[in-house]
Amino acid sequence: MTSFDLSLYLVTDRELSKGRSLSYIVEEAVKGGVTMVQLREKDCTTREFYELGMRMKALLSPLSIPLIINDRLDIALAVDADGLHIGQSDMPWQVARRILGKDKILGLSVETMQQAEEANRMDVDYIGISPVFATLTKTDTLQLFGLNGLKEATSLSRHPAVAIGGINLQNAAQVVNSGADGIAVVSAIASVDNPRQAARELKLTIKKEVPNEME
Amino acid sequence: MTSFDLSLYLVTDRELSKGRSLSYIVEEAVKGGVTMVQLREKDCTTREFYELGMRMKALLSPLSIPLIINDRLDIALAVDADGLHIGQSDMPWQVARRILGKDKILGLSVETMQQAEEANRMDVDYIGISPVFATLTKTDTLQLFGLNGLKEATSLSRHPAVAIGGINLQNAAQVVNSGADGIAVVSAIASVDNPRQAARELKLTIKKEVPNEME
């Protein structure tokens, strides 16, 4: 499998990018230290999603930054992405794994403690613990993990875990201290004036907290 | 490749099924003589689409009626459907063919005469000529082929062609007389009180018009 580093995981959202292109946001974010990119697109045609995916692949592949596609296994296959991220209302993980193959990264969102526990019996490569804090990006999820929930979820999970939901420069350190292998952000990078600077600051904050990644 | 018979092609639409289940509509339609079924779902989660697809596969496979999935190659692969139907804003046909393999049916919608001509250079198994007449089902297409356009498109195409858009018992004979290998319908079967009877009547009308299928 492609090796991956969950520490600073960007999830895209064109609507939150303040009119700037996805390529711009992603390129700047990577320059600032983003270690993984998930392309999440909900309201576009398959052709548009495919073309965006191809653009992201061309941008990220030379930099060895894994490209993960949200939900759409067809797009992941079509653009030969490094992996797929599924939620609880997407493809069943067994089916996704079978079609995706063993060599690709398969991530799963867990939204409750029970789902985090169930994921231990699944052949996925990481879990996304969601949402940790309140957020405007995802409105369809209900229960917040909070830092205590995050601690509990990361300790019971056998998988690497990235935390998502309302994470920013102010709380990133606490999130990593609560056992997450990384933080996933949308608006903390996509919606700010200087995405590169934002990524750099987040990265520095995280590095300080992760002993085995200290420089 | 799975052999297929375009003559009476049902395209599903849950919103036009008057509250009846998709399984009911499809089962009745097949009993009435439908020869192919396309599962078209635009507003549901991947999981729902997958589960519907599995149900349709279980229903149609024992009856040897090909199941075609609209747009979503991931669903087609996941449920091992007989084929995929793509439109002009879906996956590029080359990519769809590569991932789908040679053994599956690949259909393509053409909405202009130029697209019908371009399809001759594509490795697709049939074309859907759309729309022939005005319809409420598809609102995003502009130009109507009409019977003359249909004649022109079917004569220039090297592919088998199914006609779609506003086809019903009153005009089905003319459509087949204009060179179409079959008719695709949504509401003419899904929205009527007796889908089985509607399918049977459409089938009889078509058979009368196709010399080599006369009984």
Side-chain angles (χ1 to χ4, degrees), chain B residues 7-207:
Chain B
S7 59
L8 184 54
Y9 189 137
L10 175 69
V11 178
T12 68
D13 191 319
R14 284 190 291 177
E15 281 180 22
L16 293 177
S17 301
K18 302 198 164 174
R20 298 167 297 186
S21 77
L22 212 56
S23 296
Y24 171 80
I25 300 287
V26 169
E27 207 165 346
E28 289 296 302
V30 169
K31 283 178 185 160
V34 154
T35 57
M36 244 165 133
V37 174
Q38 180 186 132
L39 183 60
R40 182 166 71 183
E41 291 295 326
K42 292 291 179 191
D43 298 308
C44 66
T45 66
T46 296
R47 180 69 62 99
E48 287 169 329
F49 201 163
Y50 167 76
E51 283 169 359
L52 265 179
M54 289 298 281
R55 234 174 293 154
M56 291 301 116
K57 168 85 179 176
L59 197 161
L60 295 170
S61 189
L63 305 170
S64 300
I65 303 290
L67 170 66
I68 308 294
I69 303 293
N70 182 282
D71 178 12
R72 294 288 298 267
L73 177 54
D74 51 348
I75 306 294
L77 295 173
V79 309
D80 190 26
D82 301 284
L84 177 73
H85 187 93
I86 53 176
Q88 301 285 330
S89 57
D90 299 338
M91 198 75 84
W93 70 268
Q94 300 95 326
V95 181
R97 174 59 85 195
R98 170 167 55 80
I99 298 172
L100 201 59
K102 286 177 182 177
D103 296 338
K104 298 289 186 182
I105 303 164
L106 182 59
L108 174 75
S109 287
V110 301
E111 292 170 359
T112 64
M113 210 58 77
Q114 196 192 326
Q115 288 172 3
E117 207 169 353
E118 285 166 357
N120 281 343
R121 296 185 290 280
M122 300 177 187
D123 177 16
V124 296
D125 300 304
Y126 73 88
I127 57 169
I129 297 176
S130 162
V132 178
F133 305 118
T135 163
L136 294 174
T137 312
K138 283 205 106 183
T139 50
D140 56 344
T141 47
L142 299 169
Q143 185 190 327
L144 302 179
F145 276 87
L147 291 172
N148 287 335
L150 180 61
K151 254 179 217 163
E152 194 183 335
T154 53
S155 26
L156 68 77
S157 178
R158 69 174 180 94
H159 300 295
V162 63
I164 188 166
I167 299 172
N168 53 40
L169 203 57
Q170 282 66 53
N171 58 30
Q174 291 174 294
V175 167
V176 173
N177 280 331
S178 301
D181 298 280
I183 59 171
V185 298
V186 184
S187 54
I189 288 179
S191 304
V192 301
D193 286 342
N194 190 333
R196 189 195 306 199
Q197 177 68 13
R200 191 177 289 138
E201 287 172 6
L202 285 165
K203 190 71 174 284
L204 284 171
T205 307
I206 296 162
K207 284 208 167 179

Side-chain angles (χ1 to χ4, degrees), chain A residues 18-130:
Chain A
K18 301 199 164 173
R20 298 166 298 185
S21 77
L22 212 55
S23 296
Y24 171 80
I25 300 289
V26 169
E27 208 165 345
E28 290 297 301
V30 168
K31 283 176 186 161
V34 155
T35 57
M36 244 166 134
V37 175
Q38 180 185 132
L39 183 60
R40 182 166 70 184
E41 291 295 326
K42 292 290 179 192
D43 298 307
C44 67
T45 66
T46 296
R47 181 68 65 98
E48 286 169 327
F49 201 164
Y50 167 77
E51 284 167 358
L52 265 178
M54 289 299 280
R55 234 175 292 154
M56 291 303 114
K57 169 86 179 177
L59 196 159
L60 295 170
S61 189
L63 305 169
S64 300
I65 303 290
L67 170 65
I68 308 294
I69 304 293
N70 182 281
D71 178 11
R72 295 288 299 266
L73 177 54
D74 51 348
I75 305 295
L77 295 173
V79 309
D80 190 27
D82 301 285
L84 177 73
H85 186 93
I86 53 175
Q88 300 285 330
S89 57
D90 298 338
M91 198 77 83
W93 71 269
Q94 301 95 326
V95 181
R97 174 58 84 196
R98 171 167 55 80
I99 299 172
L100 201 60
K102 286 178 181 178
D103 296 340
K104 298 289 186 182
I105 303 164
L106 182 59
L108 174 76
S109 287
V110 301
E111 293 170 359
T112 64
M113 211 58 77
Q114 195 192 325
Q115 288 171 3
E117 207 169 353
E118 286 166 356
N120 281 343
R121 295 185 291 278
M122 301 177 188
D123 177 17
V124 297
D125 300 304
Y126 72 88
I127 57 170
I129 297 176
S130 163

Side-chain angles (χ1 to χ4, degrees), chain A residues 110-122 127 129 145 147-161 178-181:
Chain A
V110 301
E111 293 170 359
T112 64
M113 211 58 77
Q114 195 192 325
Q115 288 171 3
E117 207 169 353
E118 286 166 356
N120 281 343
R121 295 185 291 278
M122 301 177 188
I127 57 170
I129 297 176
F145 277 87
L147 290 172
N148 287 334
L150 180 61
K151 253 178 220 165
E152 193 184 335
T154 53
S155 24
L156 69 79
S157 180
R158 70 175 180 94
H159 301 294
S178 301
D181 298 279

